[in-house]
Amino acid sequence: MSEGQPAAAPTAKDKDAGANPLPTKMANDPGIRQNIVQTKCEAIPGGWSAQGTAKNPGKKAVTYKVIVHFTTTKATTLDYAQTLVKVPPGKTVAWNAKKHFAAEQKMLCPMPGISIVS
């Protein structure tokens, strides 16, 4: 056995799994989903990105928290990203959630957590 290749070295996949644990609890408010639209789910150099818009039909500013999972086409989540989007009353604002990780050629971007944080 050479020094450069230990027998029990973790694989890159093992390292990624420990480095990016998925949230086990996340707020999700189905009543506000119509205010968050995803317009893109695409590869970026070294990872993946989801983009869209958030609208605020209310009379006071609101901050949405959007959690995006980056999954394989067979629904295995490889990583996730989250973003906070502050939207003034009556306005629509663009949002972007991206993450650098070892993505596959084709990925999906489901949004399991959408909530209001303020």
Side-chain angles (χ1 to χ4, degrees):
M1 178 185 324
S2 72
E3 279 186 37
Q5 296 182 2
T11 66
K13 208 175 236 187
D14 292 335
K15 288 179 186 175
D16 288 346
N20 303 307
L22 296 174
T24 56
K25 293 182 181 181
M26 66 186 90
N28 183 47
D29 184 348
I32 61 170
R33 281 197 169 263
Q34 73 274 7
N35 297 337
I36 308 298
V37 176
Q38 186 180 117
T39 57
K40 287 187 180 178
C41 175
E42 63 186 0
I44 58 171
W48 211 262
S49 171
Q51 299 174 42
T53 59
K55 71 177 179 180
N56 178 1
K59 297 190 187 296
K60 63 179 184 173
V62 66
T63 299
Y64 296 106
K65 181 177 186 177
V66 180
I67 298 175
V68 179
H69 281 187
F70 298 112
T71 72
T72 66
T73 57
K74 295 191 187 266
T76 300
T77 302
L78 298 183
D79 214 323
Y80 77 100
Q82 63 185 18
T83 187
L84 297 176
V85 190
K86 186 171 184 173
V87 187
K91 301 291 183 185
T92 299
V93 173
W95 61 267
N96 182 314
K98 63 183 177 179
K99 190 68 161 275
H100 292 95
F101 65 101
E104 292 190 358
Q105 287 282 337
K106 183 168 176 144
M107 300 285 294
L108 303 175
C109 301
M111 301 182 300
I114 296 176
S115 60
I116 294 176
V117 295
S118 69

